[in-house]
């Protein structure tokens, strides 16, 4: 069984993330989408909300499941018999940091990192930009699943009122 992990914060999941998950699911027997739930003050959605959105978004793929993790990604991989980390690369600028993390992770455990080039249509996409554009009323439909757009719009409206 070749099992891989697609890790991330997914705050919220975008179509760019789902492109990488789908393609990883074609390469590996099983893919675990691992939502990092380490404490951070800057999240728009809670860990449970992010996991719920991913679970809904990945429901159509039989060999994909969603889980949360705290602590080191390599510890999660060892505990779940995962031997590969799949990361999307949007641009050369992603590469420096991703290479550093891949090398650090492989120094911690015998786990390979596999880089998958993001499809060109999503190469500009980042959760942080989606949130910023949506905050100022920009149209982000088509960049995230429709149900994520609904929750994003609702959360930003709550924030505006609160
Ligand atoms: O979507 P993000 O924010 O780029 O995801 C980053 C994530 C969660 C994949 C990364 O921060 C991570 O792996 N965190 C777990 C802690 C860890 O293992 N740190 C050492 C990385 S070399």
């Amino acid at each position: 069984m070749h099992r891989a992990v697609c890790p991330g914060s997914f705050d919220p999941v975008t179509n760019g993330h789902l492109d990488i998950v789908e393609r990883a699911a074609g390469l590996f027997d099983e893919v675990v989408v691992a939502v990092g739930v380490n404490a951070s003050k800057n999240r728009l959605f809670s860990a449970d909300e992010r996991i719920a959105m991913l679970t809904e978004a990945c429901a159509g793929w039989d060999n994909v499941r969603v889980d949360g993790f705290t602590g080191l990604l390599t510890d999660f991989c060892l505990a779940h018999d995962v031997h590969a980390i799949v990361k999307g690369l949007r641009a050369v600028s992603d590469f420096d940091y991703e290479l550093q993390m891949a090398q650090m992770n492989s120094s911690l455990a015998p786990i390979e990192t596999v880089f998958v080039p993001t499809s060109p249509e999503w190469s500009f996409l980042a959760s942080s930009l989606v949130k910023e554009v949506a905050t100022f009323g920009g149209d982000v439909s088509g960049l995230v699943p429709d149900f994520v757009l609904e929750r994003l719009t609702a959360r930003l409206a709550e924030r505006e009122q609160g």
Side-chain angles (χ1 to χ4, degrees):
M1 162 78 79
H2 295 288
R3 185 178 290 130
V5 67
C6 286
S9 307
F10 304 106
D11 185 41
V13 60
T14 70
N15 289 344
H17 293 131
L18 296 173
D19 168 49
I20 299 299
V21 172
E22 181 175 28
R23 288 160 60 204
L27 292 170
F28 291 90
D29 298 319
E30 187 176 294
V31 170
V32 185
V33 181
V35 182
V37 299
N38 287 339
S40 167
K41 289 178 190 158
N42 296 323
R43 304 276 184 239
L44 184 60
F45 293 100
S46 71
D48 286 346
E49 288 169 333
R50 285 178 280 139
I51 290 169
M53 284 189 277
L54 272 159
T55 302
E56 196 167 334
C58 297
W61 299 312
D62 290 344
N63 63 337
V64 177
R65 64 185 171 86
V66 181
D67 206 347
F69 77 100
T70 52
L72 289 176
L73 178 60
T74 47
D75 287 342
F76 177 87
C77 291
L78 293 172
H80 292 81
D81 200 24
V82 171
H83 300 284
I85 298 168
V86 176
K87 289 292 195 84
L89 287 184
R90 289 166 297 194
V92 174
S93 51
D94 280 344
F95 183 71
D96 284 351
Y97 185 51
E98 291 298 344
L99 178 65
Q100 189 180 20
M101 282 203 286
Q103 291 171 330
M104 175 61 87
N105 283 329
S106 77
S107 81
L108 296 171
I111 299 163
E112 294 288 355
T113 295
V114 177
F115 293 128
V116 174
T118 298
S119 296
E121 63 186 311
W122 311 123
S123 63
F124 60 93
L125 197 45
S127 297
S128 55
L129 279 183
V130 166
K131 285 182 284 191
E132 182 171 324
V133 170
T135 298
F136 295 113
D139 181 7
V140 294
S141 60
L143 303 181
V144 296
D146 288 346
F147 74 91
V148 172
L149 180 62
E150 280 170 27
R151 280 171 225 184
L152 179 59
T153 306
R155 178 56 43 87
L156 292 172
E158 281 166 26
R159 271 201 165 182
E160 183 107 336
Q161 285 159 10

